[in-house]
Amino acid sequence: MTYSALLPSFLIGAVASARSMTPMATIATVRLAGQRMPGRLFLLDHPVFKLGALAMGVGEVLGDKMKSAPDRTVFLGLLARVMSAGIAGAALAPRGQEKAGAAAAVGTAIPLAYATLAGRKRAMTAIGQTRSGLIEDALVAAACAGIVALAVKRGR
C-alpha cells in the first residue's frame, strides 16, 4: 500500500470536514450515472441509500445557511463526518484497501473539522453566514467532483 494510492481517500476526508454529506452525495450521483468506484461500495449501491445520500446532501447545503445550524464539531456533526468520510474513503480507495481508505478519510476529516469551522467563523464575521456558506458550498462541490473524478479515472 502506498499513500499516493490513498490520496483520493485523504482528500475526500478533507471535504467531509466541511460538508459531511457531500462526499456520499457525490459518489451516489456518480453511481447513478453508471460510473464504477475503485473500491467496494458499502451501502451506496442500494437505491434507497443512493437517494438518501442525495437528499441528505441537499438538506445539508440548505440547512447550513440557517441561523440555528449547529457547529460541525458537535457530537452528531462529528459522527456524521466519521460515517460519511469512512464510506466515501473506502469507495475511493483501490480494491482491497477499503479499510485503509476509510481510516485515511476519517483521520483527515475529524481534525480538519475544527480547522474548517474556525475558517468558516472568520468568514461569517467578514461576509455573513449565507455568503460564506455559499462560497464554502462552491469550493466543497468543486473539490468533491474533482476528487471523485480523479479516483474514478485512477481506478480504471
Side-chain angles (χ1 to χ4, degrees):
M1 171 185 68
T2 65
Y3 289 108
S4 65
L6 296 176
L7 180 62
S9 298
F10 282 110
L11 294 173
I12 208 70
V15 169
S17 76
R19 290 287 182 275
S20 61
M21 295 297 125
T22 301
M24 288 196 319
T26 303
I27 290 171
T29 301
V30 170
R31 288 297 294 141
L32 285 168
Q35 293 292 320
R36 295 179 48 94
M37 292 291 111
R40 198 173 121 243
L41 285 174
F42 300 97
L43 302 177
L44 284 178
D45 262 346
H46 191 281
V48 171
F49 284 101
K50 281 183 206 172
L51 295 176
L54 291 172
M56 288 189 300
V58 169
E60 178 181 45
V61 166
L62 296 174
D64 178 64
K65 312 311 173 288
M66 295 172 50
K67 298 284 185 212
S68 62
D71 286 347
R72 60 192 72 178
T73 56
V74 300
F75 175 76
L76 290 178
L78 290 175
L79 180 62
R81 278 161 180 71
V82 166
M83 292 171 27
S84 177
I87 291 168
L92 299 182
R95 288 270 173 186
Q97 296 182 30
E98 290 91 347
K99 288 181 183 177
V106 170
T108 303
I110 298 308
L112 282 183
Y114 292 91
T116 58
L117 176 60
R120 176 68 187 278
K121 284 183 174 182
R122 282 193 301 277
M124 285 183 352
T125 300
I127 61 173
Q129 183 171 1
T130 301
R131 287 169 80 195
S132 64
L134 292 172
I135 291 168
E136 190 175 44
D137 289 340
L139 292 171
V140 165
C144 217
I147 294 162
V148 172
L150 170 70
V152 169
K153 184 178 177 182
R154 291 173 95 184
R156 288 186 187 169

